Amino acid sequence: MAIDYQKTARELVKELGGNDNISNVTHCATRLRFILKDESIVNKERVAKIQGVITTVQAGGQFQVVIGNHVKDAYQFVTELVTVDENADSTRNKKVGIVSRIIDVISAIFAPFLYTLAACGILQGILGVLVALNAIDTTGGTYQILNFISWTAFTFLPVLISVTASKKFKVNTYIAVVIACALVCPDYIAMVNAGDPVHFLGIKVQLLSYTSSVIPIILSIWVASYVQRFFEKYLPIVIRNLFTPMFTIAIMVPLTLLAFGPIGNAVGGAIGGIYNTLYNLNPIIAGIVVGGLWEVLVIFGVHWGITPVTVGNYANLGYDTFTGLQASAVFSQAGAAFGVFLKTKDKELKGVSASAALTGFFGITEPAIYGVNLRLKKPMICGCIAGAVGGAVGGAFRAVSWGYNMPGIATLPAYFKAGHATQFIGLLLSILVAFVLGTVLTIIVGFEDNASDNTANDSENSEADIEADNENAAAKITNAVPSALSAPVTGNVIPVNQVKDEAFASEAMGKGVGIQPENGKVYAPFDGSIDAVFPTGHLVGMSDVNGTQILIHIGIDTVKLEGRGFELKVAQGDKVKKGDLLVEFDKNLLEKEGYDSTVMFIVSDPTKNVNVHEGRKEAVKDCAFEII
């Protein structure tokens, strides 16, 4: 059955605290990456149960929701429901370690254009195959044009990085691009090639090539963010727009050439040198470590840390050994998922594992990891063991990738180069061993198959069990909250589609009413429990004994008051009776500061319809709407 990702997006936004709690959202190959104002109000288990969601991960100051191949569909629908704050920073004002901060920066910078880099890498591989087959003339125009196209993304990599880094570090994008272009400008490259001494204000410039470089431009844009803010703060407004870019560019390009460029080159070279030294000590052990542990790094969301190393290897060496070993880890998890498909008798699990194995075969392993292997535990371990063995094979043959790519069956041409057939054969053997061993180990070791458990449970159901279920159902009906829900606040009731908040008016958050309050006292409309309270006091979520959930949202955009004028009377988990005071708010303060004080009172389930009782209603006493 096809998944409705529009519904997935609606439920995600609701469970993550709504538009008020979502500062920003981006996506990578398989994950939605949310920046939330308060992660503590989110129930991870409920988010993970939403149809279309594979699992959730909290890392690097982000709340990550793993979707899989359809992440772009979900992202499109989510962005229609939330107002994105481009200035939101996932690590700002959050206590996260330096490693998490670095990984957050790397993922934010590289994720948007990784597929573009990979496409160029695959094109390089295809050209290599055609050359080996004598199917293309390397002196002809066709080859030469395709060849320089395949290298363009790497040659101008600093420019690509400057675009995404400018968004991460809050720099004017055009200023950042000009700084990057200066580093790969033909005139500067001519200086580098000439080798003649060059001085700037009497200081000798170390002439280095910055094409395909990574760390120098990241450092440059980071420092540029402070330079830009300095001039924006102190320059008179009449000249600020013109002279802020001029001063920032005129200062940062020379500073990069004199300091940050050489420092960045040295740091990048050192990091790459450490990895390559360890690899050369024993490629087989390196293969065991990378093949066995790579997908574990993916689980914790820290796999982005290796990206500068691999990109640097392509720039400095013309190839990368890490990707050659990483391929085994990818295919081993796909193999483990395929083993689950072959062994399970559960129809639903068989369908999920088949799909996960197929997507893993093409390089996207999150569905296999989160949807199948990690959930069943033993297949995950089998996959890691198989990946380690496959990695050892790859290391023994010194398998490498000649063009940037994300390992998968479609990117195999990136591992081929004329004159290096042995390494390519080793790569093929390593992924074959990893896939087959992952499959076989999973079948042999096994896992808990829900199909057999379900069959046993079904056969053990007695008449007493059925009677007990019927009694419980009857009790639920007896104790159910009436479909007529009382107004939580005294005021004029209007249909929710008439309120001045687009997220609520669109009924994406659910159906209900808006109440134009006469005072600032909000009461419980029924007996139930408090499921969620926003720290600022403007939002309360409740549910009844049957699980019917309602949301009370006080005012429009009042989250910006950061709690001023609100006094919470309840906490998450509290049990309340109809008429208990939930929140007191200063209606006059809200309106004085220009906020609409309308209280949104809705049923969180978007499939429920309501019959609105318009007009003035007394809190607790009068009906605001009926659920129909």
Side-chain angles (χ1 to χ4, degrees):
M1 182 179 69
I3 295 174
D4 182 354
Y5 284 98
Q6 188 171 25
K7 181 180 178 183
T8 301
R10 284 199 304 266
E11 294 182 9
L12 263 179
V13 170
K14 182 185 74 173
E15 292 296 341
L16 295 180
N19 185 46
D20 288 337
N21 196 40
I22 299 173
S23 295
N24 202 353
V25 58
T26 56
H27 74 87
C28 58
T30 57
R31 307 182 187 199
L32 292 173
R33 296 170 177 265
F34 290 91
I35 300 173
L36 304 180
K37 295 174 183 175
D38 185 1
E39 292 183 0
S40 66
I41 68 171
V42 179
N43 186 321
K44 289 180 63 177
E45 292 182 359
R46 278 166 55 171
V47 174
K49 289 179 181 178
I50 295 173
Q51 187 180 34
V53 173
I54 297 173
T55 191
T56 64
V57 179
Q58 288 174 277
Q62 299 175 337
F63 191 95
Q64 303 172 12
V65 180
V66 182
I67 299 293
N69 292 340
H70 291 276
V71 67
K72 288 186 178 180
D73 298 329
Y75 174 77
Q76 178 183 344
F77 290 124
V78 167
T79 53
E80 292 174 358
L81 301 174
V82 300
T83 303
V84 173
D85 179 4
E86 294 289 347
N87 293 318
D89 187 342
S90 59
T91 57
R92 184 183 298 170
N93 299 326
K94 292 187 178 183
K95 294 182 179 180
V96 295
I98 185 64
V99 174
S100 293
R101 288 180 180 273
I102 291 173
I103 290 171
D104 172 61
V105 168
I106 292 172
S107 65
I109 290 174
F110 283 96
F113 60 79
L114 273 187
Y115 279 115
T116 303
L117 277 185
C120 290
I122 295 170
L123 181 56
Q124 291 170 14
I126 292 173
L127 287 175
V129 173
L130 293 176
V131 169
L133 297 175
N134 291 319
I136 192 169
D137 180 9
T138 57
T139 63
T142 300
Y143 172 83
Q144 292 176 357
I145 290 174
L146 290 175
N147 187 52
F148 82 66
I149 290 173
S150 73
W151 283 103
T152 298
F154 297 95
T155 301
F156 295 99
L157 183 58
V159 179
L160 297 179
I161 291 174
S162 71
V163 174
T164 51
S166 69
K167 296 177 181 178
K168 180 62 181 175
F169 298 130
K170 314 300 179 292
V171 180
N172 180 294
T173 299
Y174 299 103
I175 293 176
V177 168
V178 170
I179 293 171
C181 287
L183 300 182
V184 293
C185 175
D187 288 344
Y188 174 71
I189 293 175
M191 291 181 185
V192 175
N193 293 334
D196 297 328
V198 175
H199 294 78
F200 181 80
L201 298 178
I203 305 173
K204 186 176 181 180
V205 176
Q206 189 175 349
L207 296 174
L208 301 171
S209 174
Y210 294 108
T211 57
S212 303
S213 64
V214 173
I215 296 180
I217 190 62
I218 293 177
L219 287 176
S220 182
I221 302 305
W222 174 55
V223 176
S225 68
Y226 292 96
V227 175
Q228 176 183 304
R229 283 198 288 270
F230 174 83
F231 287 112
E232 286 177 339
K233 182 177 181 180
Y234 291 106
L235 285 180
I237 193 168
V238 293
I239 63 171
R240 184 182 302 161
N241 290 341
L242 176 62
F243 284 94
T244 295
M246 187 200 75
F247 284 130
T248 304
I249 294 167
I251 290 172
M252 284 313 305
V253 173
L255 266 182
T256 302
L257 296 178
L258 292 169
F260 303 120
I263 291 172
N265 256 10
V267 171
I271 295 173
I274 291 171
Y275 162 74
N276 290 317
T277 298
L278 294 175
Y279 171 84
N280 289 322
L281 286 175
N282 195 315
I284 295 177
I285 293 178
I288 292 172
V289 173
V290 174
L293 298 180
W294 172 251
E295 296 297 345
V296 177
L297 298 181
V298 172
I299 292 172
F300 290 102
V302 297
H303 54 299
W304 288 101
I306 196 65
T307 303
V309 174
T310 58
V311 173
N313 280 342
Y314 290 116
N316 299 321
L317 305 175
Y319 60 85
D320 177 52
T321 57
F322 189 93
T323 313
L325 305 178
Q326 174 194 350
S328 297
V330 171
F331 281 87
S332 67
Q333 293 299 330
F338 187 62
V340 172
F341 164 74
L342 294 177
K343 188 175 180 65
T344 185
K345 296 179 181 179
D346 186 300
K347 291 183 179 180
E348 182 179 354
L349 181 57
K350 188 175 282 289
V352 170
S353 57
S355 174
L358 182 61
T359 56
F361 210 56
F362 282 89
I364 305 297
T365 55
E366 273 90 343
I369 294 173
Y370 296 114
V372 181
N373 300 346
L374 190 60
R375 191 177 75 185
L376 299 174
K377 297 182 178 64
K378 290 180 181 178
M380 183 72 198
I381 297 172
C382 292
C384 289
I385 294 171
V389 175
V393 174
F397 281 86
R398 291 183 174 267
V400 301
S401 168
W402 299 97
Y404 186 89
N405 71 95
M406 289 169 283
I409 195 69
T411 62
L412 287 181
Y415 297 85
F416 179 84
K417 187 175 184 179
H420 298 270
T422 301
Q423 289 170 296
F424 182 63
I425 292 172
L427 182 281
L428 294 179
L429 283 175
S430 71
I431 61 176
L432 180 63
V433 167
F435 183 84
V436 173
L437 188 58
T439 302
V440 173
L441 282 178
T442 300
I443 293 174
I444 294 174
V445 174
F447 48 88
E448 291 186 14
D449 197 343
N450 292 331
S452 56
D453 294 342
N454 291 340
T455 302
N457 289 337
D458 290 342
S459 63
E460 291 173 4
N461 275 338
S462 63
E463 290 184 8
D465 293 330
I466 296 172
E467 287 178 9
D469 289 341
N470 290 338
E471 288 176 5
N472 289 335
K476 273 193 171 184
I477 294 172
T478 302
N479 296 325
V481 174
S483 60
L485 297 187
S486 300
V489 62
T490 299
N492 183 49
V493 173
I494 60 174
V496 75
N497 58 19
Q498 294 181 16
V499 303
K500 298 176 182 178
D501 185 305
E502 187 175 342
F504 285 99
S506 67
E507 298 185 335
M509 304 292 289
K511 296 179 176 64
V513 299
I515 305 175
Q516 297 160 336
E518 294 180 2
N519 57 54
K521 293 188 176 183
V522 180
Y523 301 93
F526 52 71
D527 296 352
S529 58
I530 304 299
D531 297 330
V533 290
F534 211 78
T536 55
H538 75 288
L539 182 149
V540 176
M542 284 185 62
S543 62
D544 66 7
V545 292
N546 290 326
T548 300
Q549 298 174 327
I550 60 96
L551 189 70
I552 301 172
H553 188 287
I554 304 168
I556 296 174
D557 288 335
T558 47
V559 66
K560 296 177 181 177
L561 288 170
E562 298 181 341
R564 285 191 301 115
F566 291 87
E567 185 179 352
L568 275 169
K569 302 295 184 179
V570 292
Q572 186 171 339
D574 286 355
K575 302 295 182 182
V576 295
K577 294 290 186 181
K578 181 177 179 179
D580 285 352
L581 186 61
L582 303 179
V583 183
E584 275 194 87
F585 67 96
D586 190 335
K587 179 175 177 289
N588 293 330
L589 173 67
L590 267 61
E591 294 174 352
K592 181 180 178 181
E593 299 209 8
Y595 292 95
D596 187 325
S597 62
T598 300
V599 176
M600 274 65 72
F601 178 36
I602 65 171
V603 181
S604 299
D605 186 347
T607 64
K608 300 287 187 182
N609 288 313
V610 300
N611 181 25
V612 177
H613 290 209
E614 296 186 51
R616 185 185 183 280
K617 304 297 175 185
E618 192 77 24
V620 183
K621 297 180 181 179
D622 297 328
C623 174
F625 62 81
E626 295 174 289
I627 301 175
I628 55 176

